[in-house]
Amino acid sequence: MTATLAPGAAGADQEFTLSAADFARVRQLIYQRAGISLHEGKQAMVYSRLSRRLRETGQRSFTDYLGWLDRASGAQADAEWQEFVNCLTTNLTAFFREEHHFHALAQDLRERGGRPLRIWCNAASTGEEPYSLAMTAVEALGAAAPVRVLASDIDTRVLDIARRGVYPAEARGLAPERLRRHFLRGTGANAGHIRVRPELARLIEFRPFNLMNASWSALGEPFDVIFCRNVMIYFDAPTQRRVLERMHGVLQPGGLLYVGHSENFTDARDLFRLRGKTVYERL
Ligand SMILES: C[S@@+](CC[C@H](N)C(=O)[O-])C[C@H]1O[C@@H](n2cnc3c(N)ncnc32)[C@H](O)[C@@H]1O
């Protein structure tokens, strides 16, 4: 029987066939695991991101790979599920992305009069965002800033990059003064790269965390500030609502939720009130 190809899917000239049923299964699985709603028309993306997994696991088709993933159990299955998720996330980020948030945070930090602050930066991707938070804290309050940042992401591969704290020297968003103050320049084999100074890195704890997890209590004491930027755009409205309810539960009353430029949660006005440009206050 000839498999029906999903529109835009890999054709005869490509190594594997991604059928409409395979694509539908991938969409279902990534939605169940990560809450990510993959739109119709993303077949080429799925093909290019997952075909390496087929090669590495020795599976001959998407149908075989997805069936095997479903049936596998134990440590090998856990590892492959993580690879599957890592392949399908989109990790675009930059230092001081949406810079107005960092100005607002710096002002809040100065107004707090030295009271300790706990920030959760979830969907932290490759680390530029949590390091930008740490730089903001040190610039506002000095090297002994009483600020702790928990940086998390579902994608373990980007978290490894974040933990390492090594970036290309021409990374976007870093002014020369910040480069000098917060980074070490690589020499020799590391030329062209910069590394976050240890005194900045020590403010941050990196930890994998899936926003679809049930175990939010493992996050510990309530946070004063949550950065959750440019991830909810991948979730549908019911998933967004569930995550917002959970965020409400782990934020101090009056705590602030910073979201991405295209994210609008004014529907959740029973939980949060708009306090500034894409900044919400927990009720
Ligand atoms: C586009 S990046 C945003 C990075 C950063 N927050 C920013 O605004 O620059 C989206 C991130 O969300 C993460 N992500 C996707 N689904 C997630 C989930 N269910 N739980 C936690 N993180 C998730 C992805 O791995 C990715 O690193």
Side-chain angles (χ1 to χ4, degrees), residues 30-31 33-36 85-86 88-95 97-98 120-130 152-159 208-213 216 227-235 239 243 259-261 263:
I30 195 64
Y31 181 74
R33 288 268 153 174
I36 294 172
V85 169
N86 289 357
L88 292 175
T89 56
T90 297
N91 310 110
L92 183 77
T93 188
F95 288 105
R97 182 180 190 186
E98 297 167 46
W120 180 25
C121 177
N122 62 64
S125 190
T126 40
E128 288 86 338
E129 187 174 54
S152 67
D153 199 285
I154 193 175
D155 183 335
T156 51
R157 188 186 49 85
V158 289
L159 267 188
F209 189 83
N210 179 355
L211 291 168
M212 298 304 113
N213 271 354
W216 285 53
F227 267 59
C228 182
R229 306 191 311 164
N230 305 304
V231 58
M232 300 266 245
I233 39 169
Y234 301 103
F235 300 163
T239 308
V243 172
V259 304
H261 59 97
E263 295 164 323

Side-chain angles (χ1 to χ4, degrees), residues 186-225:
T187 55
N190 298 319
H193 286 87
I194 51 173
R195 180 191 281 276
V196 175
R197 286 185 186 271
E199 54 271 35
L200 192 71
R202 74 174 178 82
L203 299 183
I204 308 174
E205 178 199 345
F206 293 98
R207 200 197 291 179
F209 189 83
N210 179 355
L211 291 168
M212 298 304 113
N213 271 354
S215 52
W216 285 53
S217 57
L219 294 168
E221 290 297 299
F223 296 96
D224 303 290
V225 169

